[in-house]
Amino acid sequence: MTAPTINGTRYPQPIEDLLPAARALPLPDGEAFPSRNRLMREFRIGAPKAGELLALLKTEPAAPPADTTEPDATDPADPPAVPEPAPLAEPDPTPAPEITPAEPPAEASAVSRPDTPAPTAPARRAVAWPVVLLALPAFVAIWSGWVGLGGLTGFGIVHPLPGIWDRFSINSAITLPIGVETYGAYALYVWLSGRVPAPALRFAKWSALGSLAVGALGQVAYHLLVAAGVTSAPWWITTAVACLPVAVLGMGAALAHLVRTHD
């Protein structure tokens, strides 16, 4: 059922204009006043206005019952009532407050106690090029000493490729400085690096010290023999020098294996 046309218009009317139409609403038996929900539905009004209209109906004297034989006051030709539009909200003249973005918190800096020493800047890495100057004279002395001792103990010119390259020859005495001193330097590096398992560290330590001691003894033996005018070393010196290449090979293989073995 649509709201009746009041005063020639179907738009929301004041409560005083709706009051006669509310009185004319047919009521079921046993009801003296229409309910608020029915007033909202019949006149397309909100709950506050319907409640106020119902209060006025209750305060006024009851009207005589309407004749149900009379035709309905609603014109069937009237188009369906349009729902009451919601009132347009007036724009607020107050400007919106300006939102200032929060500043990022300042980076916290470490505060040290006054008696705490400030960390020093990392020291520069020591240069290694002076080692080359130190190694050159040592290399010459060690090389000549081992080659000379090898000559006194039977090392000399050999042809390692007979039948293949007969003219190729090499002095086997150079195997002494290359083997003994190179292994000593390598074992010393492994020991001082500290980046290997404990068994490899111990083996590198003692084998490096032993290799350096053997190298020093070889130099001493050579110079003593030359100073004494000996042209052939005693048998025990020859035996020890002849075993050095084999010993160096075994220690080198063992150290390489231990370096690659994890605990």
Side-chain angles (χ1 to χ4, degrees):
M1 182 175 182
T2 59
T5 302
I6 303 174
N7 296 334
T9 177
R10 292 189 303 272
Y11 289 97
Q13 299 293 321
I15 295 180
E16 292 77 6
D17 297 339
L18 295 176
L19 188 59
R23 292 196 194 100
L25 289 176
L27 301 175
D29 296 338
E31 292 187 6
F33 304 99
S35 64
R36 188 182 64 172
N37 292 338
R38 184 178 180 185
L39 293 176
M40 294 170 57
R41 183 174 62 255
E42 294 288 345
F43 299 110
R44 308 294 184 182
I45 58 178
K49 185 179 288 187
E52 187 177 355
L53 181 59
L54 180 59
L56 291 176
L57 290 175
K58 292 180 179 181
T59 56
E60 293 185 356
D67 188 3
T68 56
T69 61
E70 296 180 0
D72 192 357
T74 304
D75 187 1
D78 289 341
V82 179
E84 179 182 356
L88 298 177
E90 297 182 358
D92 189 0
T94 305
E98 183 179 357
I99 300 176
T100 304
E103 297 182 357
E107 184 177 358
S109 57
V111 179
S112 59
R113 297 179 55 185
D115 56 347
T116 303
T120 57
R124 295 181 57 185
R125 183 177 297 181
V127 296
W129 62 264
V131 179
V132 178
L133 298 179
L134 296 174
L136 287 177
F139 173 77
V140 174
I142 293 173
W143 185 275
S144 61
W146 274 118
V147 172
L149 183 61
L152 296 177
T153 55
F155 289 84
I157 302 298
V158 296
H159 298 275
L161 300 175
I164 300 176
W165 191 0
D166 294 333
R167 294 184 178 180
F168 177 70
S169 61
I170 189 174
N171 191 340
S172 60
I174 65 174
T175 59
L176 298 175
I178 293 177
V180 176
E181 304 303 334
T182 301
Y183 175 80
Y186 175 65
L188 185 64
Y189 166 77
V190 174
W191 170 33
L192 297 179
S193 68
R195 294 178 294 181
V196 296
L201 199 66
R202 289 191 298 268
F203 185 84
K205 173 184 177 180
W206 294 113
S207 62
L209 295 177
S211 179
L212 295 176
V214 170
L217 291 176
Q219 299 300 314
V220 171
Y222 168 71
H223 289 287
L224 289 178
L225 292 175
V226 172
V230 177
T231 58
S232 179
W235 68 268
W236 55 274
I237 294 180
T238 302
T239 303
V241 172
C243 293
L244 286 179
V246 180
V248 168
L249 176 61
M251 290 189 299
L255 182 58
H257 175 73
L258 292 174
V259 166
R260 291 173 173 80
T261 302
H262 298 283
D263 292 336

